[in-house]
Amino acid sequence: MRRAKLLSVLAVAGLVLDGCGASALSISQLRVTATRICNVAASRADDIPTPATPAAGAVFIRRGVDAFSPELRELQALQVSSGSSHTYAAALAPVASELSAMRSALRTLSTGGDPLNTIKRLQRRLAPQEARANLAWQTLGIEACQSR
């Protein structure tokens, strides 16, 4: 009797736990959710004033990192269907690289690096990453996540 009760409790617990897992988003659900996430990040980025001098670049970059880091975390947390997973990963990888490049530029500036050269180098690093991400976002039909 105890064994039957234990097995039934375990079976119910298994069903409950199965329902707790996140299921993969359909492509239409992904589009809606990713668009919302990217629009929030774009709004945050729009509030960042363009630096008037190269020396103000560090603050500009820091605020960009602060705007786009939550976006990447939220996008990475989405469960994507297997049919879209490869393209979705191809969209996220360059976004992560862009943030890494921005953080690297901040480190350079914080250790006394030349602001003008650092920002130019950052722009050169970001351009190909943006192009790669844009192509993947376009393929997925998620325009809001393309270059902002």
Side-chain angles (χ1 to χ4, degrees):
M1 179 70 176
R2 292 178 85 188
R3 183 173 180 209
K5 185 175 182 180
L6 178 63
L7 289 175
S8 64
V9 168
L10 290 175
V12 169
L15 290 173
V16 169
L17 290 176
D18 275 349
C20 291
S23 60
L25 298 172
S26 69
I27 188 64
S28 60
Q29 292 170 320
L30 174 62
R31 286 178 181 137
V32 168
T33 306
T35 293
R36 180 189 50 75
I37 292 168
C38 291
N39 282 340
V40 168
S43 178
R44 278 190 232 125
D46 288 345
D47 292 340
I48 303 170
T50 302
T53 65
V59 172
F60 180 76
I61 296 168
R62 162 58 47 213
R63 291 190 68 192
V65 168
D66 291 346
F68 292 114
S69 291
E71 173 193 51
L72 179 61
R73 277 192 305 275
E74 290 179 41
L75 290 170
Q76 288 173 327
L78 298 180
Q79 299 295 316
V80 181
S81 68
S82 60
S84 301
S85 64
H86 180 73
T87 306
Y88 192 66
L92 293 183
V95 173
S97 292
E98 289 172 338
L99 279 167
S100 177
M102 292 167 71
R103 289 184 181 110
S104 177
L106 279 174
R107 283 190 297 275
T108 299
L109 292 171
S110 71
T111 58
D114 177 49
L116 191 56
N117 288 334
T118 301
I119 291 170
K120 284 182 180 181
R121 194 173 331 114
L122 176 60
Q123 289 172 329
R124 285 191 303 270
R125 287 183 67 188
L126 293 179
Q129 299 301 333
E130 288 175 4
R132 286 179 47 219
N134 286 344
L135 180 60
W137 292 125
Q138 185 177 29
T139 301
L140 291 166
I142 306 174
E143 294 177 20
C145 294
Q146 292 182 33
S147 286
R148 297 162 296 274

